């Protein structure tokens, strides 16, 4: 059935409903490695233990199968089973680990991870299907929020394409709802070294002129009045992990 624009969805295309967004680079293209091709990127996390997640995963497997059959014919099943990690868009969340610590990425455990990219910026809309302004994308589509995503699977073969592979293109992302932002844990005061003036009395600090401190607080609030702190925290995961793409 065609959509309102007269476009007929392909058998290799799927709409993921209410999934979590991870490592989004949707406001600007980004290279996966130094010197690599810059693309718009995102990972969609499906929880297969929920009814909706199970339905999403079944749709993904159906679309993957259609793409593989188009490219590999009767050999599609064997080819998919033999694909290495870097050549397969759909993997268990436990396969995604930090290169530095070996730990599973935050929010990935128990999930099915669908990694996708696009050469051109995909359609990005809010829950009411309004296009998200360019300067609001990072605050709206942050790592950890819930989204609906339309992705299209395709397969490659041949040496000029890097060999067999299953990949996914981002066609569009729609904000679905807020959730806990992905990010690293904070630090405590004990993480700082002791200073030579640690014998300063707390009373001395309390007696300091409060006016400059108040002015600083007001200045911070005025500067950030159009950028809620909560959304800033949601962006922290993406900013911290920019060098560790999916």
């Amino acid at each position: 059935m065609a959509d309102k624009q007269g476009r007929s969805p392909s058998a290799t295309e799927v709409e993921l409903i209410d999934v979590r967004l991870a490592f989004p680079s949707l406001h600007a293209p980004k290279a996966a490695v130094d010197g690599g091709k810059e693309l718009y990127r995102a990972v969609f996390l499906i929880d297969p233990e929920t009814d909706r997640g199970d339905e999403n995963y079944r749709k993904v497997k159906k679309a993957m199968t259609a793409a593989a059959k188009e490219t590999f014919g009767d050999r599609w099943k064997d080819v998919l089973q033999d694909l290495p990690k870097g050549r397969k868009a759909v993997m268990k969340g436990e396969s995604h680990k930090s290169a530095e610590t070996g730990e599973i990425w935050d929010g990935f455990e128990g999930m099915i991870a669908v990694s996708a990219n696009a050469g051109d910026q995909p359609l990005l809309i809010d829950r009411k299907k309004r296009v998200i302004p360019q300067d609001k994308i990072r605050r709206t589509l942050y790592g950890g929020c819930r989204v609906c995503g339309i992705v299209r699977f395709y397969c490659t073969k041949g040496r000029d394409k890097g060999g067999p592979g299953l990949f996914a293109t981002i066609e569009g992302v729609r904000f679905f709802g807020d959730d806990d932002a992905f990010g690293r844990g904070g630090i405590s005061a004990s993480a700082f070294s002791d200073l030579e003036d640690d014998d300063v009395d707390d009373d001395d600090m309390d007696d300091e002129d409060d006016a400059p401190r108040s002015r600083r607080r007001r200045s911070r609030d005025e500067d950030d009045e159009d950028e809620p702190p909560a959304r800033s925290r949601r962006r922290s995961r993406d900013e911290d992990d920019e060098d560790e793409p999916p």
Side-chain angles (χ1 to χ4, degrees):
M1 179 181 295
D3 60 21
K4 292 182 179 180
Q5 284 72 42
R7 173 176 167 273
S8 298
S10 165
T12 61
E13 186 176 286
V14 60
E15 180 183 12
L16 305 175
I17 301 175
D18 189 13
V19 296
R20 295 192 75 186
L21 183 67
F23 291 107
S25 182
L26 299 170
H27 65 291
K30 173 183 174 184
V33 294
D34 291 341
K37 186 175 182 179
E38 293 189 342
L39 298 168
Y40 294 91
R41 304 174 186 273
V43 179
F44 303 95
L45 299 179
I46 301 171
D47 184 354
E49 297 301 318
T50 65
D51 290 342
R52 178 166 277 169
D54 178 66
E55 181 180 358
N56 281 326
Y57 191 29
R58 283 191 286 107
K59 291 190 294 184
V60 164
K61 289 187 286 187
K62 184 177 180 180
M64 287 171 51
T65 299
K69 286 182 176 180
E70 285 183 2
T71 305
F72 305 118
D74 294 339
R75 298 176 50 248
W76 71 269
K77 187 176 293 185
D78 292 333
V79 174
L80 288 187
Q81 289 178 345
D82 293 338
L83 290 178
K85 178 181 177 180
R87 304 290 295 175
K88 193 171 183 179
V90 182
M91 299 187 67
K92 291 183 177 180
E94 289 80 1
S95 300
H96 294 269
K97 299 180 180 180
S98 168
E100 297 179 357
T101 66
E103 296 180 353
I104 300 171
W105 290 341
D106 184 19
F108 277 65
E109 189 168 2
M111 302 293 112
I112 300 297
V114 179
S115 301
N117 57 51
D120 296 323
Q121 189 174 49
L123 175 67
L124 306 174
I125 58 177
D126 63 17
R127 190 178 176 95
K128 295 182 179 180
K129 296 187 178 182
R130 298 172 300 194
V131 174
I132 301 173
Q134 184 67 27
D135 61 346
K136 305 293 184 182
I137 292 174
R138 296 187 71 180
R139 284 189 283 171
T140 304
L141 299 173
Y142 57 90
C145 76
R146 311 198 74 86
V147 300
C148 296
I150 295 180
V151 300
R152 179 178 55 81
F153 291 98
Y154 67 96
C155 292
T156 61
K157 63 179 181 179
R159 293 182 179 180
D160 60 325
K161 301 292 185 180
L166 169 74
F167 305 100
T169 297
I170 308 171
E171 300 290 347
V173 181
R174 178 184 183 183
F175 177 78
F176 184 88
D178 288 312
D179 206 325
D180 293 335
F182 292 138
R184 298 171 180 170
I187 62 174
S188 65
S190 61
F192 290 92
S193 302
D194 293 334
L195 302 178
E196 294 180 359
D197 59 352
D198 277 350
D199 57 349
V200 175
D201 292 336
D202 290 340
D203 291 342
D204 294 337
M205 298 178 65
D206 293 337
D207 290 341
E208 290 179 351
D209 183 7
D210 288 336
R213 207 180 323 171
S214 299
R215 285 196 294 272
R216 286 195 295 270
R217 282 198 295 267
R218 286 197 298 271
S219 176
R220 166 71 178 272
D221 293 340
E222 292 167 358
D223 291 341
D224 291 343
E225 61 182 3
D226 293 329
E227 190 169 331
R231 288 294 171 86
S232 296
R233 288 194 295 272
R234 289 175 182 131
R235 293 199 303 273
S236 64
R237 161 67 181 269
D238 304 319
E239 293 168 354
D240 292 342
D241 289 330
E242 281 185 350
D243 295 330
E244 189 177 10

